[in-house]
Amino acid sequence: MSDMINVALPKGRLGEQVYDMFEAAGYPCAEIREDSRKLIFENNEAGIRYFWVKPSDVAIYVERGAADIGVAGKDILLEYRPDIYELLDLGVGKCFMAVAGKRDFHDNTGRTLKVATKFPHIASEYYSGLCREIDIIKLMGSIELAPILGLSDVIVDIVETGTTLKENDLVVLEKIVPVSARLISNKVSFKFKNVEINRIVDAMREHINR
Ligand code: PRP
């Protein structure tokens, strides 16, 4: 039982896609597909136990060892910089971090730029690299509203299909960094469950390259 691998999966569409990858790689747990409110699923023969976790919390479970491994977006890893190992780019959940704003936006460098975002660290780091002074407005969601209502000049946010921007008459002004889902590991687990974790990484890599 001790070598059971605990996996934190991001609840939602990306998590289901990622679970499909684990299943195809030889780590199935049929019960997970049943429509229920259950959060923990295990397959003793495969030595794996899955948890459904809020996507932005996966790195916390893994960093603190409540999960041995997990799947988190590169955006979350860049923003929170958890003390974990990043093992594999899963090549799914692809999107990018961008500065976006109104079509007619012109940066007046004479004054502080107001930036609304869920990602204050990524935004600060990006603008400090440009030596641009900014005022961060931290929001939890619906970031696109901020420039429309004059709460901010621009936003720093995730763009996936671009539909949210388009439907709100906003445009990408600058691309910051590409984002995708990463397989991450707790550092202590990686040492003590190294064989099992590496077996999973190899199986996932093989599945991705198939
Ligand atoms: C994210 C992001 C954008 C949207 C981008 O929001 O913050 O709003 O998805 O996707 P698109 O380019 O495919 O339109 P999320 O769905 O996480 O909701 P939120 O507004 O609660 O952050």
Side-chain angles (χ1 to χ4, degrees):
M1 261 324 235
S2 63
D3 57 0
M4 193 91 170
I5 299 296
N6 296 300
V7 187
L9 291 177
K11 204 166 193 269
R13 202 175 54 84
L14 174 66
E16 283 166 26
Q17 205 178 341
V18 166
Y19 167 72
D20 288 345
M21 295 173 78
F22 274 95
E23 186 181 79
Y27 296 90
C29 189
E31 202 195 352
I32 210 168
R33 292 196 187 278
E34 288 168 18
D35 188 18
S36 81
R37 294 254 168 172
K38 242 182 109 164
L39 297 171
I40 304 180
F41 302 87
E42 59 185 59
N43 175 343
N44 284 310
E45 292 92 272
I48 204 141
R49 183 183 294 125
Y50 296 104
F51 316 137
W52 285 129
V53 171
K54 189 175 161 71
S56 52
D57 288 342
V58 167
I60 299 172
Y61 280 80
V62 174
E63 183 178 38
R64 291 179 173 263
D68 299 304
I69 59 172
V71 174
K74 184 68 180 174
D75 52 335
I76 299 296
L77 304 180
L78 289 170
E79 179 62 27
Y80 298 100
R81 293 174 210 153
D83 189 19
I84 48 87
Y85 292 130
E86 195 180 309
L87 303 177
L88 189 63
D89 183 345
L90 297 176
V92 293
K94 284 188 178 177
C95 50
F96 62 93
M97 188 68 64
V99 178
K102 287 187 182 168
R103 198 173 299 279
D104 60 359
F105 169 77
H106 288 292
D107 193 1
N108 175 356
T109 50
R111 60 181 193 82
T112 303
L113 184 72
K114 286 190 280 177
V115 182
T117 188
K118 273 188 286 192
F119 303 95
H121 284 126
I122 294 176
S124 314
E125 201 159 88
Y126 175 69
Y127 282 104
S128 75
L130 299 175
C131 297
R132 181 74 175 94
E133 198 178 311
I134 61 164
D135 176 15
I136 299 251
I137 300 161
K138 170 86 162 68
L139 297 176
M140 305 305 283
S142 299
I143 316 296
E144 291 81 1
L145 273 175
I148 298 170
L149 300 180
L151 179 63
S152 73
D153 299 309
V154 294
I155 62 174
V156 165
D157 201 13
I158 288 292
V159 180
E160 192 180 352
T161 60
T163 311
T164 311
L165 291 180
K166 198 163 168 233
E167 293 192 353
N168 290 288
D169 212 17
L170 299 172
V171 292
V172 171
L173 300 168
E174 291 142 65
K175 289 188 177 181
I176 300 180
V177 67
V179 169
S180 58
R182 307 296 162 99
L183 184 63
I184 61 174
S185 172
N186 172 269
K187 288 189 166 178
V188 175
S189 301
F190 192 71
K191 191 169 174 191
F192 290 102
K193 297 184 178 180
N194 191 267
V195 172
E196 296 84 353
I197 292 177
N198 271 328
R199 197 176 292 141
I200 294 172
V201 174
D202 289 344
M204 291 292 268
R205 190 183 289 116
E206 202 174 299
H207 169 70
I208 292 166
N209 296 332
R210 214 174 278 159

